[in-house]
Amino acid sequence: MKKINGIPNILKVVLIALLVMTLNNAIAQNKKRVVRIARIEIDTSQIDNYKAALKDIGEASLRTEPGVLMLYSVADKIKTNHITVMEIYADSTAYETHRQTAHFKKYKETIKNMVRSLELVDVDPIFTGIKPDILK
């Protein structure tokens, strides 16, 4: 058996094939993900109540739903009643499951008179990344 750098050629071919299959699987799974941005305008008199409800739904979703991969909410610094939420779900089934949970239904009921406008935008990620030490 011919060897390159002490490793049999056949083993290298198998390792490369496994690496390619793993990368292809990761790419295919990413295409199934649901990535959505919600642009929300809140009644200015209700902003603190809305933020509390948003925090509650986010914590419950991440804690109890394996298909909810990421939730990130921010408020505009100038128009503080403008909220943007980025959501990433494992797939469309995870998104639909999320919409049927008791905590999501409670959130929708709680905020129904707080929201002045809501725009949901499905997006395709171009680049994602996070530094490994960000949580330190």
Side-chain angles (χ1 to χ4, degrees), residues 22-110:
T22 301
L23 289 173
N24 285 339
N25 186 40
I27 291 167
Q29 285 183 342
N30 283 341
K31 289 181 182 177
K32 293 179 186 177
R33 292 200 174 133
V34 173
V35 183
R36 175 167 288 150
I37 293 174
R39 296 182 182 120
I40 311 159
E41 182 180 351
I42 306 302
D43 178 337
T44 54
S45 68
Q46 293 289 323
I47 192 67
D48 290 335
N49 293 333
Y50 180 79
K51 286 179 179 180
L54 187 59
K55 183 179 178 193
D56 288 346
I57 182 71
E59 289 173 346
S61 299
L62 290 171
R63 184 179 63 251
T64 64
E65 298 178 65
V68 177
L69 304 180
M70 189 202 79
L71 297 171
Y72 194 80
S73 307
V74 295
D76 189 297
K77 285 187 174 189
I78 296 169
K79 296 179 181 178
T80 58
N81 66 320
H82 287 228
I83 307 293
T84 302
V85 179
M86 177 174 248
E87 309 168 310
I88 301 178
Y89 301 91
D91 53 32
S92 59
T93 301
Y95 175 70
E96 290 305 322
T97 298
H98 169 70
R99 292 175 40 86
Q100 298 306 314
T101 62
H103 51 268
F104 180 80
K105 291 177 181 179
K106 177 184 173 190
Y107 164 78
K108 291 301 277 187
E109 180 63 25
T110 300

